[in-house]
């Protein structure tokens, strides 16, 4: 059996912080897992270093499910983003090892390919509608079949998804949380205008997505969904905070616009009611935050019973290790929907060389054994950790709100 003899946590910051777990077996085969939790990276690094790695040494690396159950049930304090990101990193690294030992890409171990490649969506954003549409046309010209559109809101200094650096979006932008200000009614006025302009410029053969980023009440989300129906959005994401899964019933009563949620979910229990009551159309949970490939497959299997498809989160604060793992998962499951693909910077790609490829609006994980991603530890060591917080959001009267 491939005995685990060592494991280490690598914190590196090529432009933004990443946490990577490396598990090493006695015959030198190693596996990688992404453990990055934006704004709370060191919590997961410590959870792994201090509370997980000591329990891994001497175990059989092939026993992925048993180790998963050991770390989940053994924590006693179950679930939560820190615990589940740590478990995810172990799970992902063990699938990497299993693939390398079998000489097969992980998707083959997950039942083989269910499609030739996976459709991805890019992020077009701009301070004005015109600016956003211009960028969306660039994505369309690059072959993207799905494009997320986010634009600035007149009268607001900043809004979600409109970044200083147009292409390498990084929201964790300061040593202490940046304070943003929000105004829902100004936002609700601009989004239908954005979709109208985008449809006029890009036509109807491209999927248009939008991320509300937890900022509407259910009835406001129902109104926006109805306003946008004529423009056929592929989905409205994170329409309202989803701790209260019931809230989505209200949105469903008012609009047929498809709903996506779940990038901040970390277990099947966060989305079971949403899926079983068909309150959503896409589940956004992803490998690094939802317990790894093993648990994400359970979420996808439940979703498949209710015709809910996947739409894994794929922002730049999830490392190329997570992107690689997500692509193996995406290629294999029957109810794949779309994969988010925010390109990493060249310096990040240099730290994490990988086999996955992009072509004509789709991606493929490649045929390398395991996940097909590595970490250049020497290069990684050059990038010191930089504390960086996600922003907070307040209403104009100062009330704390959802970022
Ligand atoms: O859909 C998305 O990609 C966003 O919601 C993310 O960019 C999110 O804001 C970041 O991952 C937070 O770290
Ligand atoms: Mg989002």
């Amino acid at each position: 059996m491939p005995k685990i003899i060592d494991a280490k946590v690598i914190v590196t910051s090529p432009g933004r912080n990443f946490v990577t777990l490396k598990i090493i077996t006695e015959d030198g085969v190693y596996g990688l897992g992404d453990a990055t939790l934006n704004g709370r990276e060191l919590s997961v690094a410590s959870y792994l270093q201090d509370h997980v790695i000591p329990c891994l040494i001497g175990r059989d690396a092939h026993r992925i499910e048993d180790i998963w159950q050991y770390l989940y049930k053994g924590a006693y304090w179950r679930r939560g983003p820190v615990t589940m990101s740590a478990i995810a990193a172990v799970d992902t690294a063990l699938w990497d090892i299993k693939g390398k030992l079998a000489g097969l890409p992980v998707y083959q171990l997950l039942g083989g390919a269910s499609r030739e490649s996976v459709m991805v969506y890019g992020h077009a954003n701009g301070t004005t509608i015109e600016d956003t549409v211009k960028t969306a046309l660039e994505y369309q010209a690059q072959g993207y079949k799905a494009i997320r559109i986010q634009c600035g809101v007149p009268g607001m200094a900043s809004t979600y998804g409109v970044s200083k650096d147009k292409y390498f979006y990084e929201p964790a932008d300061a040593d202490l949380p940046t304070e943003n200000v929000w105004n829902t009614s100004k936002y609700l006025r601009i989004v239908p205008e954005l979709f109208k302009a985008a449809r006029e410029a890009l036509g109807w053969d491209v999927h248009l997505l939008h991320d509300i980023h937890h900022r509407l009440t259910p009835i406001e989300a129902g109104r926006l969904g109805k306003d946008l129906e004529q423009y056929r959005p592929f989905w409205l994401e994170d329409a309202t905070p989803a701790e209260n899964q019931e809230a989505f019933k209200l949105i469903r009563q008012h609009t047929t616009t498809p709903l996506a949620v779940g990038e901040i979910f970390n277990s099947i229990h966060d989305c079971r009611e949403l899926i079983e009551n068909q309150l959503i159309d896409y589940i956004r949970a992803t490998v690094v935050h939802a317990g790894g490939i093993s648990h994400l497959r359970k979420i996808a299997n439940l979703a498949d019973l209710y015709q809910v498809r996947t739409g894994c989160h794929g922002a730049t604060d999830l490392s190329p290790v997570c992107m690689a793992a997500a692509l193996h998962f995406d290629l294999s499951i029957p109810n794949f929907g779309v994969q988010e693909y925010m390109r990493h910077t060249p310096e990040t790609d240099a730290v994490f060389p990988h086999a996955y490829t992009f072509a004509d609006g789709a991606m493929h994980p490649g045929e390398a054994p395991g996940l097909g991603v590595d970490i250049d530890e020497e290069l990684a060591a050059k990038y010191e950790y930089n504390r960086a917080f996600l922003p907070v959001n307040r209403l104009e009267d100062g009330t704390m709100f959802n970022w």
Side-chain angles (χ1 to χ4, degrees):
M1 71 151 187
K3 190 161 77 169
I4 296 171
I5 57 165
D6 193 7
K8 59 172 136 176
V9 178
I10 302 163
V11 180
T12 180
S13 190
R16 66 141 290 107
N17 297 317
F18 292 111
V19 179
T20 306
L21 174 68
K22 181 172 187 175
I23 296 179
I24 301 133
T25 61
E26 61 190 340
D27 42 12
V29 173
Y30 63 86
L32 298 179
D34 185 15
T36 306
L37 182 64
N38 202 355
R40 297 293 184 274
E41 294 87 359
L42 297 188
S43 306
V44 185
S46 159
Y47 193 105
L48 285 165
Q49 195 67 55
D50 302 324
H51 306 297
V52 169
I53 289 175
C55 303
L56 293 180
I57 308 305
R59 289 188 181 279
D60 176 355
H62 270 321
R63 294 191 170 206
I64 299 177
E65 187 65 35
D66 180 61
I67 290 174
W68 196 100
Q69 296 295 336
Y70 177 92
L71 295 176
Y72 180 79
K73 295 183 164 78
Y76 187 73
W77 315 100
R78 298 179 182 187
R79 297 161 61 189
V82 174
T83 298
M84 299 308 284
S85 297
I87 293 176
V90 173
D91 181 85
T92 306
L94 295 178
W95 278 108
D96 194 12
I97 290 168
K98 193 179 276 288
K100 287 176 176 177
L101 290 172
L104 288 170
V106 167
Y107 78 84
Q108 294 290 15
L109 305 181
L110 301 177
S114 297
R115 55 198 56 78
E116 301 315 311
S117 59
V118 301
M119 180 174 75
V120 294
Y121 71 88
H123 281 210
N125 74 77
T127 46
T128 63
I129 287 178
E130 294 69 30
D131 202 17
T132 306
V133 169
K134 182 167 156 291
T135 311
L137 284 164
E138 288 169 20
Y139 276 95
Q140 193 176 37
Q142 289 171 35
Y144 282 84
K145 307 290 184 290
I147 302 166
R148 190 186 87 167
I149 50 176
Q150 308 284 144
C151 74
V153 178
M156 284 201 323
S158 67
T159 186
Y160 166 70
V162 179
S163 55
K164 293 185 269 305
D165 178 329
K166 236 181 188 354
Y167 297 101
F168 300 115
Y169 175 54
E170 176 46 67
D173 59 3
D175 180 55
L176 286 173
T178 305
E179 298 242 344
N180 291 167
V181 177
W182 177 255
N183 177 307
T184 295
S185 52
K186 290 177 182 169
Y187 166 78
L188 286 174
R189 280 201 299 274
I190 195 83
V191 179
E193 295 303 309
L194 170 64
F195 268 82
K196 181 172 183 294
R199 277 295 177 217
E200 283 166 0
L202 291 113
W204 294 89
D205 291 339
V206 64
H207 296 302
L208 296 177
L209 301 83
H210 183 71
D211 191 348
I212 298 174
H213 220 260
H214 324 278
R215 299 184 184 195
L216 298 182
T217 62
I219 203 70
E220 290 166 345
R223 182 179 136 201
L224 181 58
K226 200 150 57 173
D227 287 350
L228 295 179
E229 280 172 11
Q230 59 185 312
Y231 305 118
R232 299 277 187 279
F234 182 83
W235 78 32
L236 275 182
E237 174 187 346
D238 281 334
T240 194
E243 296 96 313
N244 172 13
Q245 298 183 43
E246 286 262 327
F248 282 73
K249 282 183 184 162
L250 201 55
I251 306 173
R252 272 305 207 223
Q253 284 164 13
H254 293 279
T255 181
T256 57
T257 292
L259 300 173
V261 74
E263 69 180 42
I264 63 172
F265 290 174
N266 53 75
S267 94
I268 199 164
H269 304 291
D270 292 329
C271 52
R272 187 175 47 72
E273 287 170 57
L274 288 168
I275 291 171
E276 288 177 347
N277 297 306
Q278 296 178 273
L279 299 179
I280 56 172
D281 304 281
Y282 296 91
I283 180 65
R284 296 261 295 142
T286 197
V287 171
V288 60
H289 300 130
I293 292 171
S294 302
H295 193 62
L296 198 60
R297 291 177 86 196
K298 294 180 181 179
I299 293 174
N301 291 340
L302 173 67
D304 193 28
L305 300 180
Y306 297 91
Q307 301 189 65
V308 173
R309 286 174 284 180
T310 65
C312 287
H313 186 206
T316 41
D317 45 282
L318 288 58
S319 90
V321 178
C322 178
M323 178 52 77
L327 291 171
H328 286 279
F329 165 83
D330 293 339
L331 199 67
S332 67
I333 51 168
N335 54 326
F336 168 75
V338 70
Q339 168 66 49
E340 179 176 7
Y341 179 44
M342 267 186 180
R343 291 172 189 270
H344 288 103
T345 61
E347 54 185 351
T348 295
D349 285 341
V351 172
F352 296 97
H354 51 265
Y356 59 76
T357 52
F358 170 87
D360 195 26
M363 291 182 79
H364 192 282
E367 299 301 336
L371 295 176
V373 62
D374 206 342
I375 184 166
D376 179 333
E377 289 191 54
E378 208 178 311
L379 189 54
K382 290 186 178 147
Y383 296 106
E384 289 280 298
Y385 169 77
N386 270 314
R387 189 177 79 182
F389 280 84
L390 284 169
V392 296
N393 214 4
R394 291 182 185 274
L395 299 179
E396 288 167 329
D397 67 1
T399 306
M400 264 309 289
F401 195 61
N402 311 305
W403 177 75

